[in-house]
Each structure stands twice: as C-alpha cells, then as structure tokens.
Amino acid sequence: MRRWTTAPLAVALLLALAACGDGSDDPTTTGPGGPGATDVGPPEAEEPLDAEVVALAPGEPSTRNRREVVVLDPGDPEAAAALFAEDERDDVATAVAGADLDGRTLLGGIVHVGCARASAVFVVVQDDVVHLRSEDLSDLEDGVQCVAATVTSALVAVATDDLPPAYRDPGAGAGDDGGEVAGDVVLVAATGYEAAAVADPGLVRDAVDVDALVGRYGVEEEAPALRSRVETGEEVLVAAVVGEACEPPVGGRVVRVDDGIELVPDHGDPGPDPEVVCDALAQALVVVAVAAADVEGVGTVGSAPADGPVGVGPVHVVEAVDVGAEPLAVVAEDEGGVDAVLAGIAGAPPLDLPPVEGDAVRLVFVVDGCQPGTGELIADLGAGTVRAEVQQVGPPVECEALAPHVVVADLAGGHAGLQPVTG
C-alpha cells in the first residue's frame, strides 16, 4: 500500500495543528466533559446532547457527498468501521466491540470536511434531525485555500431516550434515493476545496448565473458553452464541487435524495484504486445539464438551497433608486456601515438586513439593471475583484432603458480579499 497526499504544504501544516491538541489521537475525545476533552465548545446556539465518543478519526468520504447521521448496529463492528479510513478500521471495530451501549444508541457519520481535521465532536438535534458538529475550526481554515479536503468521522453513544423516534432503529437516517435525473456532463474542472460554510453553486438557470459560476471558479474559457445550455430556458445546470477519492472525479450524475437533488461524483471505470490511501480528497467542479422540468420544485441541490446564490456570496437586496444615482461599489464597514452608505444614495430606501454571518464582508453597490429582482456577485479571480449584477426573476421582460439599483450583498469569508468594483 502506498500513501500519498494531494494536499499542499499549507494543508499539511493545518493537519498537524489540528492533530496536536490534547487527546486528538484518543478515540474518546469528546465535546462536553468526556475523557480527553479538548478546550473547545459546541457551535453557538446549539445545546449538545450528552454523548460518549466511541471513535473519532480520519473518515471515509460519503459515496453520496452527504452528511447524514446514521444509526448503527453495535453487533456489526465492521459496518460501523466502514465509515472510517481503511487503516483506522481495525481499531474502530475493536472499540465498537468493546463499547457498553446499555440503554444507548450508536450513531455514526461525518463530523467535518475541511482543510483541518476535527478533534472534538458534539451531538445536536435540530427539528428532529440529529447532526454531528466539530469544534470551531475557523481559526485554522478561514482564508486558507487547500486543494483537497480532509474528512473526520465519528461514532458516538447517546441515550436512546434523548433521540428523536426516527433515530432508534439501525439503518435509520440514511435518506431515500428517488432515482437518477438524466443529464449531460458539460464541465469537469479541478478546483481547490471550499469550506463547508460556503454552499455549492447549486442550480445555474441563466446567463447571470453562468457569469457568477465562471467568476467563482475561474473557468472563463467555458462560459460560451455553459451559456448556450441555458439560453432557451429548457435546460438548467446542476453544479457542485465533488470528489470522493484520491484522484479527482472524471464526471458526475444527478440523483434525487428526499426533497432535493445531489451531484454524485463519477471516478470512472473501474473507479478509485482501493490500494491507494491518501490524506486528503481530490475534488473538481462538475457541471451537469438537465431538463429544467425534471428539477422543478426541488428544495436543495447538494449543500445549497435551490434558490441560493451561485456566486461568491448571497445578495440580500436589489431595489431601484433615483435616476442619476452614481455607480458605487464599497465595503460597507469602511464607509461607516450600510445606513451611512445608503444615506448618500439618492432614493435609497431604508433596509431591514440580516446580520453578517461569520467572517463575510458586506458590500453595497449601485449598478444598472432592468427591474428590481435579485442578483449575483460575480468575481474575477485573476483581477482580484467582485461586482454585482441585477438579475430578473421570472420570464424575461423588454427594457426600454436600464435604471440604477442599489444592491446589498455579503462576500463569503473565503473570498474576502476580493475588491468591489462597479463593472
């Protein structure tokens, strides 16, 4: 067996940092108060359940690119160990076989996928769905670009009475497949790993979405081919960064899962070499063209809401302002905040905006558009800039003249170095 990594030196350093906390190699490392506990806390606003960590180690990527927590049969240690990297499985199976689960349920799943490896796990329940959360790894990952992600998986024992009823039988929580959606692979492009907080681009429906996708991943040469697939409205593009092996995928396919769709990586025939073990996953942007009617009404696309942003951050507001308002592109914080910026824009309405999340950067633009609707942030990675573009909602309308609109958007933290420009 040969061991190799697709990760650059920066990733190797991050992994070393993530692994050198107290107890990081101890499978009993846990969140609140367990043996080998690290000096970390659960995610904010989430009260963790009491849990014993049976195993916390490098994980096996989900073949579905999913993060569901599943209920495992403690009488089948090998099945539980399959969630982990190959060279961890014997130790994990031994830990499962020796675990005292009286009155408790064995849960397993991926805790974290990112540039750094998790060293703690917390079990939280939201809307009767169980999630495994890592400690806050933002200090290790924010602003870091790595070519591939590392996976941390965990097995935890939780009091059965503390779990929602759906999580009390082995095999629960795995999700239901609804079949494959026919489509054509139109793009496979190598890309760096994006942090879990950055949603996949999801559905690309029109030329503005194409510009946002192209700018986010620097695939300008592919823009004409992508635009040609969406220009009639009969097709949309399903786009995601995927990869479940040491070698990058060569394609992908779209499948239905619950009320959404996911893009599953295709690693070719005969698939990844099982004798090759690596420390990180090689990933790629995969884009598949599907009939718009086949994905109408889906709620999610992989990690993204179907109506979420394609580009480098969400757009919150697109509102018309007075004719004659000057073009603008600023970081709100640098100008005294959003309210101060709006005060200088003729005809700008008062806005009720959500708080800025994490290390995102709030931007304010004044750009020309046809009518109020929505918009996208469009990056130019080569130039180090980002601009906003107004996007129509619904059937195209004829414009007699473009008019100025104020656009308020949040640039995702991983792209915070981009400078806002007007065009």
Side-chain angles (χ1 to χ4, degrees), residues 20-241:
C20 64
D22 291 341
S24 62
D25 294 324
D26 184 344
T28 60
T29 300
T30 185
T38 55
D39 185 19
V40 297
E44 293 182 6
E46 293 179 344
E47 185 66 30
L49 302 179
D50 288 334
E52 177 187 349
V53 178
V54 177
L56 180 66
E60 180 72 12
S62 166
T63 58
R64 311 293 303 200
N65 206 27
R66 292 203 214 123
R67 306 285 180 83
E68 282 92 357
V69 175
V70 296
V71 180
L72 297 162
D73 181 0
D76 190 355
E78 287 73 21
L83 296 174
F84 295 83
E86 185 177 2
D87 52 0
E88 303 286 342
R89 292 175 187 171
D90 288 346
D91 290 341
V92 171
T94 300
V96 172
D100 180 6
L101 297 174
D102 185 33
R104 297 187 295 177
T105 295
L106 183 66
L107 303 175
I110 292 176
V111 178
H112 182 71
V113 179
C115 293
R117 184 164 291 151
S119 59
V121 57
F122 304 89
V123 183
V124 296
V125 178
Q126 291 180 321
D127 299 325
D128 288 332
V129 178
V130 178
H131 303 273
L132 299 183
R133 305 289 197 219
S134 72
E135 74 272 37
D136 183 1
L137 295 170
S138 58
D139 286 346
L140 292 174
E141 294 186 329
D142 283 354
V144 174
Q145 298 291 325
C146 56
V147 297
T150 62
V151 177
T152 307
S153 292
L155 301 177
V156 293
V158 180
T160 302
D161 290 344
D162 290 344
L163 294 171
Y167 289 83
R168 297 180 184 180
D169 296 315
D176 295 323
D177 294 341
E180 186 168 340
V181 179
D184 298 327
V185 177
V186 295
L187 175 63
V188 179
T191 184
Y193 175 72
E194 290 187 306
V198 181
D200 284 326
L203 288 183
V204 179
R205 305 175 188 269
D206 58 20
V208 175
D209 282 347
V210 169
D211 288 347
L213 182 76
V214 166
R216 179 171 170 178
Y217 296 103
V219 289
E220 289 81 2
E221 67 279 3
E222 305 294 339
L226 297 176
R227 289 193 191 99
S228 70
R229 301 303 293 252
V230 300
E231 62 185 359
T232 67
E234 295 180 358
E235 288 184 312
V236 296
L237 305 176
V238 181
V241 174

Side-chain angles (χ1 to χ4, degrees), residues 318-391:
V318 177
E319 294 286 352
V321 295
D322 288 355
V323 173
E326 293 294 325
L328 182 71
V330 297
V331 176
E333 184 178 355
D334 294 347
E335 306 296 327
V338 171
D339 290 342
V341 176
L342 294 177
I345 302 172
L351 301 176
D352 182 16
L353 296 166
V356 178
E357 295 187 1
D359 57 352
V361 176
R362 182 147 291 170
L363 308 177
V364 181
F365 300 85
V366 175
V367 296
D368 286 341
C370 183
Q371 62 181 8
T374 184
E376 282 286 350
L377 287 179
I378 299 173
D380 184 334
L381 301 183
T385 61
V386 60
R387 61 184 175 87
E389 188 164 334
V390 176
Q391 188 175 25

